[in-house]
Amino acid sequence: MLDFLKNRKQKISHVLGAPVKGKTVSLKKVNDPTFREEILGKGLAMIPYEGKIYAPADGQIGIVFDTLHAISMTTEYGAEVLIHVGLDTVQMKGEGFEGHVKAGDTVKKGELLLTVDLEKIKAAGYDIITPMLICNTTGYESVKGRTDIEVNPGEDVLIIEEK
């Protein structure tokens, strides 16, 4: 009688953890149109309470920008993740940033990627808000962030559903 249910494909979901200790916010609250308008992909942003950036999932590091203000990785299931520390922090030319991984490294969820001096960023006049995006958003059915919550590193914040 319910044979039609047998042929339905079950949706596969993946969850990314928080890359920082802090508060999650919608990308709509990011004071930069590239992130706010989701030009680089869907995701969420975090207001970090500490200057440690962790891997949100298991995967491989793609790019560690020379200025250490951003890092990309590809998860084991193919999500292309970009973590961008602060706004316009590329202008700091790496000052206040320390990298702990390099391109090509395989990482586990929770592994330390970057250490950042948040006070130095603020003193230089930059916003510390930290967007985390899925750059290949169009390859997924949905990308949904859990916003307006306080989280510790690794706690579930971004749900990606396969097509």
Side-chain angles (χ1 to χ4, degrees):
M1 184 164 134
L2 298 177
D3 286 340
F4 71 94
L5 291 176
K6 289 181 184 175
N7 295 329
R8 284 183 55 185
K9 185 177 178 184
Q10 186 176 2
K11 295 280 184 182
I12 298 171
S13 295
H14 307 283
V15 180
L16 274 73
V20 299
K21 178 177 184 166
K23 181 177 181 183
T24 63
V25 295
S26 166
L27 287 177
K28 302 287 183 221
K29 294 185 179 179
V30 177
N31 193 21
D32 182 305
T34 301
F35 299 112
R36 187 177 56 249
E37 295 169 18
E38 300 178 337
I39 292 168
L40 297 176
K42 293 180 186 266
L44 53 71
M46 305 214 36
I47 300 167
Y49 297 162
E50 298 177 342
K52 293 182 178 180
I53 311 298
Y54 299 94
D58 294 351
Q60 186 174 37
I61 300 300
I63 299 170
V64 179
F65 289 76
D66 291 343
T67 53
L68 302 174
H69 75 288
I71 192 164
S72 74
M73 67 176 289
T74 302
T75 67
E76 290 183 330
Y77 46 87
E80 297 170 1
V81 181
L82 174 68
I83 301 170
H84 193 285
V85 182
L87 300 181
D88 296 322
T89 49
V90 66
Q91 303 299 327
M92 294 184 70
K93 299 183 170 113
E95 195 171 323
F97 294 81
E98 181 183 355
H100 300 288
V101 294
K102 62 186 182 323
D105 285 355
T106 299
V107 295
K108 292 287 185 192
K109 181 178 180 179
E111 191 171 329
L112 185 63
L113 304 177
L114 300 170
T115 305
V116 181
D117 186 335
L118 298 176
E119 294 309 313
K120 190 172 262 193
I121 293 172
K122 289 180 197 174
Y126 299 109
D127 191 335
I128 61 169
I129 197 162
T130 300
M132 180 170 72
L133 313 172
I134 304 303
C135 294
N136 59 340
T137 295
T138 57
Y140 295 96
E141 182 72 27
S142 67
V143 175
K144 295 179 184 167
R146 297 180 59 222
T147 57
D148 300 314
I149 57 172
E150 292 191 358
V151 293
N152 288 308
E155 291 182 0
D156 297 350
V157 294
L158 199 62
I159 299 108
I160 301 171
E161 189 174 280
E162 299 269 353
K163 285 187 177 181

